[in-house]
Amino acid sequence: MVPERQFRTPLFDAMVSLAEAKKVSFHTPGHKSGKGISTRFRKFVGRKIFTIDLTTLDEVDCLQKPVGVIKEAQELAAEAHGADRSFFLVNGTTVGNHAMILSTVLPGDEVLVARNAHKSILAGIILSGATPRFFLPRFDADLGIAVNVGVEAARSAMRDHPRARVVAVTSPNYYGIAADMPGVAAAAREHDRILLVDEAHGPHLHFHPALPPSAVDAGADLTVQSTHKIVGGMTQASMLHLREGRVDGARVAAVLQMLQSTSPSYILMASLDLARMQMATEGRKLLGKAIALAEEARHRIDGIDGVRCLGAGQVEAWGGFRLDVTKLTVSVKGIGLTGYAASALLNTEFGIQVEMADLYNVLIIVSIGDRRDDLDRLVAGLEGLARRAPGRDARVAEICAVPPVQETELACPPRQAYFAPHASVPLAQAAGRVSADIVTIYPPGIPILVPGETVSRTAVEYLQSLGARGARIDGLRDPSGGSHDTVQTGVAEPHIRVLAR
Ligand SMILES: Cc1ncc(COP(=O)(O)O)c(C=O)c1O
């Protein structure tokens, strides 16, 4: 039974009441309920949205120190997700990841990090001055992706690094592949470690029994979710959930005060209030529909010659992993295309925009916003792509898609490397030097190099070969293009920031 109070939306209601009261405003934002906004903007989106673009006022509370409707909205979110305390975030899971690290480690502390971490976890480590001790996820060479971390890998990392009090994992990953979170949480408890989970891709898990268990339910101490990625939050709207016991909630609140804007967007926060209400009251029904649509599409995609879609059976056969079936990882290797090329063709030829592409796959997110027609278009697009594919391109299969990431010791802690005197050298000549930047293929944003890591020849070759095939690489520089640090196909000789000798 859904508690009656979960139908409430205290923050949104207060915003609407305030807007309807039509008080005269001598405060920010300067557009004054849209009266001063550009006409073109207002013509496109209408007037109403601007009347709830508010600022911190008594009626609508203050995110930095909530005592009224934001406090109530956060309490409802905690109850809905099974957490002890929840915090609204207005800079995505990125700021939540920074906050998780900064509220649990001190400069010089060791922190165990699964190597499939998003770059925002690494950024948190740079900010904190902690030293990461990496452990590796399982990789699948056929799909060319990091599967996720196994419980045994996590457990042995905890045994090998008794000084690391904090363990950070990402689950589910971008492809919806979840680690055995109850198993990882049990291992963390046994070894008395604080468990931080980047659950950017899992804000819906708690609300449907056919999905993998959520990190909060599994017992994680801190969990961050991108409400905007999968359910009804607006872009940048995320949540951080806390389980009391091993983490100091007051410290988390203080760190968030330091990291978050003093002018948070009320529209983003209202979307969190409403998304929580929607999931709590009708999430199971809405997600049930999304799951059914995704499973049907998966079946139809598997029927296309040369195209394959990752299914729950395959993931479970790896042992200890679960699949969020609303994600469709479609391998196009068999029709001779890279995921990058398939993504571009789906976009330009068929009007289909996918979430992400990697070397072998395109990733489709099916959500509560999709309808059968949308999935019909996807299947028709993939059929069209398979018919018009250039035939088998040996080069697609011949390159190694598995990121050459390692568990090896860093030459120095990431913070030290990030701020040390550095030089910019051509990537081709970087092997043996120490990276000063986070270098990722984006998306999915898993660091191929972290600051303080010695650049290996395999890493150079991997970045070169993926760059040449259309991957977007963050953290390299175009020497002719000034300060750009995102490099895509076409940059003849990207540079990398390394420590000066
Ligand atoms: C695993 C993971 N963590 C964190 C993030 C950052 O989340 P956000 O975009 O909400 O800041 C992403 C973004 O893609 C992600 O994939």
Side-chain angles (χ1 to χ4, degrees):
M1 264 298 278
V2 181
E4 197 51 37
R5 58 187 169 274
Q6 284 294 334
F7 287 87
R8 287 177 42 73
T9 49
L11 174 58
F12 178 63
D13 295 352
M15 289 164 59
V16 171
S17 298
L18 186 55
E20 287 175 351
K22 294 200 165 52
K23 298 186 182 182
V24 60
S25 146
F26 290 106
H27 55 72
T28 62
H31 63 65
K32 306 286 175 96
S33 300
K35 286 178 287 183
I37 211 82
S38 107
T39 315
R40 277 166 62 192
F41 196 2
R42 190 172 53 234
K43 268 196 176 153
F44 186 76
V45 300
R47 266 211 60 176
K48 249 186 163 160
I49 187 82
F50 301 110
T51 66
I52 55 164
D53 185 26
L54 296 163
T55 189
T56 296
L57 296 161
D58 288 348
E59 293 88 334
V60 289
D61 207 3
C62 168
L63 180 65
Q64 293 266 319
K65 211 159 179 28
V67 291
V69 286
I70 293 180
K71 178 168 180 280
E72 200 186 331
Q74 291 187 148
E75 284 167 359
L76 287 167
E79 178 184 69
H81 285 270
D84 292 318
R85 203 165 161 187
S86 295
F87 300 87
F88 286 179
L89 307 175
V90 290
N91 186 23
T93 289
T94 296
V95 75
N97 281 344
H98 299 167
M100 283 203 297
I101 303 278
L102 286 169
S103 42
T104 54
V105 302
L106 297 172
D109 280 1
E110 289 183 12
V111 45
L112 278 172
V113 183
R115 186 65 206 237
N116 59 333
H118 186 258
K119 63 179 185 174
S120 53
I121 290 279
L122 258 299
I125 287 170
I126 294 172
L127 292 170
S128 70
T131 298
R133 300 287 180 213
F134 291 113
F135 61 107
L136 292 183
R138 176 195 171 112
F139 289 97
D140 184 79
D142 185 39
L143 283 165
I145 62 174
V147 168
N148 213 321
V149 288
V151 175
E152 256 327 296
R155 198 185 287 281
S156 77
M158 293 180 216
R159 271 196 301 263
D160 293 348
H161 298 286
R163 289 179 48 225
R165 287 182 48 250
V166 172
V167 186
V169 303
T170 301
S171 180
N173 65 6
Y174 220 133
Y175 306 90
I177 305 171
D180 169 3
M181 282 314 303
V184 173
R189 262 195 313 276
E190 272 165 44
H191 290 266
D192 193 23
R193 309 300 163 95
I194 293 171
L195 179 60
L196 313 181
V197 183
D198 174 352
E199 200 175 54
H201 299 281
H204 56 319
L205 300 185
H206 176 75
F207 300 99
H208 201 286
L211 297 171
S214 76
V216 176
D217 291 337
D221 296 290
L222 287 173
T223 303
V224 195
Q225 301 171 334
S226 293
T227 316
H228 67 94
K229 285 194 198 295
I230 311 288
V231 288
M234 288 180 72
T235 296
Q236 281 186 227
S238 283
M239 291 191 203
L240 170 58
H241 304 296
L242 165 88
R243 254 182 186 275
E244 264 156 16
R246 272 176 295 205
V247 174
D248 177 4
R251 168 94 180 147
V252 177
V255 166
L256 282 171
Q257 274 189 33
M258 180 172 72
L259 297 179
Q260 297 228 84
S261 170
T262 47
S263 310
S265 161
Y266 277 77
I267 294 174
L268 297 192
M269 292 191 286
S271 79
L272 287 172
D273 198 19
L274 291 155
R276 180 273 311 154
M277 182 275 293
Q278 185 189 35
M279 275 298 108
T281 59
E282 50 176 351
R284 190 169 173 149
K285 182 182 81 195
L286 296 173
L287 289 166
K289 278 191 194 150
I291 290 169
L293 281 180
E295 288 290 44
E296 188 188 318
R298 177 177 277 106
H299 182 69
R300 292 169 68 193
I301 292 166
D302 266 339
I304 304 171
D305 203 19
V307 177
R308 275 186 304 129
C309 191
L310 180 64
Q314 186 179 347
V315 168
E316 281 157 27
W318 286 323
F321 302 101
R322 293 272 310 270
L323 182 67
D324 163 7
V325 293
T326 63
K327 296 281 184 87
L328 303 175
T329 298
V330 181
S331 167
V332 289
K333 189 164 78 167
I335 54 172
L337 289 175
T338 60
Y340 308 117
S343 162
L345 285 169
L346 284 169
N347 189 6
T348 55
E349 306 286 313
F350 300 95
I352 295 167
Q353 291 192 308
V354 302
E355 166 64 15
M356 133 171 126
D358 62 30
L359 187 62
Y360 294 157
N361 314 289
V362 291
L363 175 67
I364 311 293
I365 293 180
V366 181
S367 81
I368 58 173
D370 285 303
R371 305 283 173 266
R372 172 158 280 108
D373 287 2
D374 303 320
L375 275 307
D376 286 346
R377 276 184 71 180
L378 170 70
V379 175
L382 287 167
E383 283 168 349
L385 201 65
R387 267 195 307 275
R388 291 161 55 172
R392 207 172 163 70
D393 176 355
R395 286 173 315 157
V396 177
E398 124 204 331
I399 49 177
C400 175
V402 171
V405 292
Q406 306 158 18
E407 248 172 13
T408 48
E409 291 262 314
L410 300 181
C412 67
R415 184 181 175 85
Q416 191 182 324
Y418 193 80
F419 292 110
H422 68 270
S424 183
V425 300
L427 177 64
Q429 294 163 30
R433 303 292 295 268
V434 176
S435 176
D437 267 328
I438 307 176
V439 180
T440 66
I441 306 282
Y442 204 93
I446 298 170
I448 307 301
L449 292 169
V450 303
E453 181 169 12
T454 305
V455 181
S456 66
R457 173 130 316 276
T458 9
V460 169
E461 285 165 4
Y462 178 78
L463 291 168
Q464 286 173 327
S465 76
L466 263 75
R469 283 164 177 86
R472 181 185 128 184
I473 303 173
D474 279 7
L476 296 184
R477 280 140 198 260
D478 175 356
S480 61
S483 61
H484 292 298
D485 71 347
T486 295
V487 170
Q488 226 158 352
T489 328
V491 175
E493 196 163 57
H495 279 217
I496 180 171
R497 225 166 55 100
V498 293
L499 264 59
R501 287 198 208 273

